[in-house]
Amino acid sequence: MSDETTQTDAAQPVVAAPTATPLLPEPPASEKSSLNTILVVIIVILGGLIVANGVTKYFPGFGASAPVAVLDSDLVSAAGIHDLLQRAPSMTPEAVEAESKKRAEALQHTLADLRQRGYIVIDRTAALSWPAAADITEQTATNLAIPPAALQAVRDRRAEQQRLARTGNAAWPPTSSAPAEKTISGSNLD
């Protein structure tokens, strides 16, 4: 029988046992369970904080969508100036200056209030498209005590200038019959 055993052992291939050792020793079972418990507790606490305080507090870029307000600052400024010019003959220069300062402060207060409420305020000239609800020009003019008639007067003047520009009869810049001299620092340009 010993011959038979030797023959069958010799017929089977010999496989070497792996001798590689693990990089890190495996922690004992008690450390594994406490580490898992700690990780679960941390995840639950962070999840609770995120739900309670909002995702954007902890991850500002995640889902951030601040409301946008569009302001036609040129219109508000021009209407304010138009209104002051209409009322200036009946006002003292000090009163005109005080009214102008009061409106500037009211504009700064309005913008600070919008910023505090989380709005991004952009000028109409920088916006390509916006919904009507995002336009705060009328509200801002009301906050600055600019009458709607002054806003409408400036809008009408803008429309007339655009109409004249389209037809080629623009009144601005004014044309002169005298040829213009091209001088810089006293020397003629070629």
Side-chain angles (χ1 to χ4, degrees), residues 175-181:
T175 58
S176 172
S177 59
E181 283 190 33

Side-chain angles (χ1 to χ4, degrees), residues 165-186:
R166 279 193 307 268
T167 62
N169 296 328
W172 188 260
T175 58
S176 172
S177 59
E181 283 190 33
K182 299 177 184 176
T183 59
I184 295 179
S185 301

Side-chain angles (χ1 to χ4, degrees), residues 148-172:
L151 286 172
Q152 191 58 45
V154 172
R155 284 185 180 123
D156 292 344
R157 191 174 334 132
R158 274 186 184 174
E160 180 64 16
Q161 287 174 344
Q162 289 174 354
R163 185 189 66 76
L164 291 173
R166 279 193 307 268
T167 62
N169 296 328
W172 188 260

Side-chain angles (χ1 to χ4, degrees), residues 67-188:
V68 175
V70 178
L71 175 65
D72 189 345
S73 61
D74 291 340
L75 176 63
V76 171
S77 297
I81 292 169
H82 176 79
D83 179 50
L84 284 177
L85 288 175
Q86 295 295 315
R87 298 184 314 146
S90 64
M91 298 171 72
T92 65
E94 294 81 19
V96 172
E97 183 180 352
E99 181 73 21
S100 179
K101 285 183 181 179
K102 182 175 130 184
R103 284 184 177 164
E105 289 171 359
L107 178 60
Q108 292 302 320
H109 177 71
T110 300
L111 293 174
D113 180 51
L114 287 167
R115 180 177 49 247
Q116 185 179 15
R117 292 183 0 208
Y119 279 84
I120 297 171
V121 180
I122 59 174
D123 189 57
R124 178 188 66 87
T125 58
L128 296 176
S129 177
W130 61 91
D135 192 340
I136 60 166
T137 303
E138 297 285 335
Q139 296 166 343
T140 303
T142 302
N143 291 348
L144 302 179
I146 297 172
L151 286 172
Q152 191 58 45
V154 172
R155 284 185 180 123
D156 292 344
R157 191 174 334 132
R158 274 186 184 174
E160 180 64 16
Q161 287 174 344
Q162 289 174 354
R163 185 189 66 76
L164 291 173
R166 279 193 307 268
T167 62
N169 296 328
W172 188 260
T175 58
S176 172
S177 59
E181 283 190 33
K182 299 177 184 176
T183 59
I184 295 179
S185 301
S187 65
N188 286 337

